[in-house]
Amino acid sequence: MRIPLSRPMIGEEEKKAVLEVLESGQLAQGEQVASFEREFAEYIGTKEAVATSSGTAALFVALKALGVQPGDKVVTTPFTFVATASAILHCGGIPVFCDVDRQTCNLDPERLKATLERESGVKGVVVVHLYGTPCALEEILDITRSRGLFLLEDCAQAHGAMYRGRKVGSFGDAGVFSFYPTKNMTTGEGGMVTTNDSELAKRCRMLVNHGSRRRYYHEILGYNFRMTDIAAAIGRVQLRRLEEGNARRRAHASFYFRELSGIEGLELPFIPRDTLPAFHQYTVKVRERRDELLQFLRSWGVGCEVYYPVPLHRQAFLQSYGYGAFPVAESLSREVLSIPVHPGLSPGDLEEVARLVRAFFAK
């Protein structure tokens, strides 16, 4: 694509950091990983951070450490990437879906209350800060705490996003992040669990490293979800540039808000009060002709994508659970479209995207 939807921002610093690791001979989990964990925890504002091999691994490890066992129900959104639900299933848990708020695309607190009143055997709640927009954390925390449920924040798209002056990933019992190449910062593949609970962090570290705290002494059944020093070296450089990249994303979003406001049939992203989004995606809603707009933009070399075309309760591997309808998630899957907002866009790129969107709706 002439103007890609996403582009990992890899520069000379990352290349130098990787080369230093290769020359050191310490390629697996080592001091680079330990340093990355400390720096990431400090950035998010938590006591602990545990690096993993992927964001999905981070979700799974966090859920296991939080005590999800076979048969436990975990409430989450049907409008998210599949890993949010599959991690619950890999623990033996049962995903219970709750519909979302149309404006934010995030879990709706009022619907969450209704879901918890209806369902028994719920162990906890997983919220997703979709597209980099923070959830209604205060309301949701009130709901989970009053019922003795854990709250896990899926921050895979929300690195550096803030809610009431604090970074997401620091509110719940734990937060999880992904460092996939399309994210606001990357390690190639990788993930992180953040928490203020030192015992929870210890359990996560054991699960990541074959159930051991000391080499060859295995206390629990664990896994090999370790991050490499190569990935961590990239992540440390990326973390230092994250705020700058997020500022560019917000500036690009502001441009779109100015240039695309007032177009009939086009709904721009909603920014809740007291939040600072990370704009992992700039996602508009198109009530009619969404797919036509997607094809039109692609025909002009502009990358765009639907996140997500099939809600989780409609996915084939979940059909045996007999989920009902979730009307908001279903309508969003027919309307949402993400357009380029990444830090690598030039002023000319932004102007071209806006011009093409205006031209489409003028037809």
Side-chain angles (χ1 to χ4, degrees):
M1 285 289 174
R2 187 167 49 87
I3 305 176
L5 178 61
S6 63
R7 178 188 297 157
M9 307 299 289
I10 301 294
E12 293 303 316
E13 279 190 87
E14 286 90 346
K15 296 173 187 176
K16 180 183 177 184
V18 169
L19 185 59
E20 288 175 356
V21 171
L22 294 176
E23 290 175 342
S24 76
Q26 175 65 59
L27 308 188
Q29 186 179 46
E31 183 52 41
Q32 287 290 332
V33 171
S35 295
F36 186 31
E37 289 176 333
R38 288 193 299 269
E39 291 160 9
F40 197 81
E42 182 178 358
Y43 174 77
I44 296 299
T46 55
K47 293 178 182 177
E48 304 273 1
V50 181
T52 65
S53 55
S54 71
T56 302
L59 272 167
F60 173 71
V61 165
L63 288 164
K64 289 284 284 188
L66 286 163
V68 176
Q69 298 178 9
D72 287 340
K73 295 179 181 177
V74 180
V75 178
T76 192
T77 164
F79 195 61
T80 181
F81 183 60
V82 67
T84 309
S86 62
I88 297 168
L89 288 163
H90 282 305
C91 292
I94 301 168
V96 173
F97 294 123
C98 171
D99 216 345
V100 296
D101 175 79
R102 177 181 165 79
Q103 286 185 304
T104 65
C105 304
N106 287 332
L107 207 63
D108 185 304
E110 291 305 313
R111 290 186 171 94
L112 176 59
K113 284 182 188 176
T115 300
L116 292 173
E117 288 168 3
R118 185 174 65 248
E119 294 282 347
S120 60
V122 173
K123 182 88 172 183
V125 176
V126 180
V127 296
V128 179
H129 304 296
L130 198 66
Y131 309 137
T133 300
C135 291
L137 282 164
E138 186 174 18
E139 294 171 72
I140 292 172
L141 275 167
D142 285 345
I143 294 167
T144 55
R145 285 172 177 166
S146 66
R147 291 165 172 79
L149 308 176
F150 73 72
L151 179 65
L152 176 60
E153 297 177 68
D154 184 337
C155 311
Q157 301 181 7
H159 311 67
M162 300 184 77
Y163 176 83
R164 298 193 174 178
R166 281 173 55 190
K167 290 187 176 69
V168 300
S170 67
F171 288 84
D173 295 275
V176 293
F177 293 81
S178 166
F179 302 127
Y180 188 72
T182 60
K183 306 303 184 184
N184 291 38
M185 60 172 287
T186 185
T187 60
E189 275 279 15
M192 194 77 78
V193 181
T194 56
T195 184
N196 286 309
D197 185 334
S198 296
E199 289 303 313
L200 182 67
K202 286 179 185 177
R203 291 196 294 275
C204 288
R205 292 188 195 284
M206 292 174 68
L207 288 164
V208 164
N209 190 30
H210 293 290
S212 68
R213 285 184 280 190
R214 185 159 60 113
R215 196 175 186 187
Y216 302 130
Y217 292 81
H218 307 279
E219 301 171 43
I220 60 172
L221 177 64
Y223 311 86
N224 180 3
F225 290 147
R226 297 184 298 253
M227 179 180 281
T228 67
D229 263 21
I230 296 169
I234 296 171
R236 294 181 69 194
V237 177
Q238 291 270 304
L239 180 60
R240 292 195 292 269
R241 293 211 304 261
L242 178 58
E243 284 298 303
E244 177 188 354
N246 281 351
R248 289 182 64 83
R249 287 174 181 271
R250 292 177 187 123
H252 296 169
S254 293
F255 176 86
Y256 286 143
F257 280 120
R258 291 194 305 271
E259 296 297 315
L260 300 179
S261 64
I263 297 176
E264 187 175 351
L266 183 69
E267 186 178 338
L268 302 184
F270 176 76
I271 302 178
R273 192 179 67 173
D274 296 332
T275 69
L276 184 67
F279 283 106
H280 171 63
Q281 300 291 347
Y282 188 91
T283 302
V284 300
K285 302 182 187 81
V286 187
R287 286 188 180 271
E288 298 177 5
R289 302 168 64 204
R290 189 273 309 277
D291 292 345
E292 289 181 45
L293 175 58
L294 180 149
Q295 293 303 327
F296 175 77
L297 290 174
R298 286 181 177 174
S299 72
W300 284 94
V302 174
C304 52
E305 190 57 81
V306 175
Y307 300 114
Y308 295 92
V310 182
L312 296 188
H313 65 289
R314 297 297 187 202
Q315 297 288 350
F317 79 104
L318 285 166
Q319 290 308 292
S320 62
Y321 288 87
Y323 295 111
F326 297 94
V328 180
E330 290 165 19
S331 66
L332 288 171
S333 70
R334 296 188 295 268
E335 297 176 21
V336 295
L337 184 67
S338 297
I339 60 177
V341 75
H342 61 83
L345 296 168
S346 69
D349 293 335
L350 293 164
E351 290 167 5
E352 177 73 352
V353 174
R355 182 188 69 79
L356 288 168
V357 171
R358 289 194 302 267
F360 176 84
F361 282 97
K363 291 193 295 182

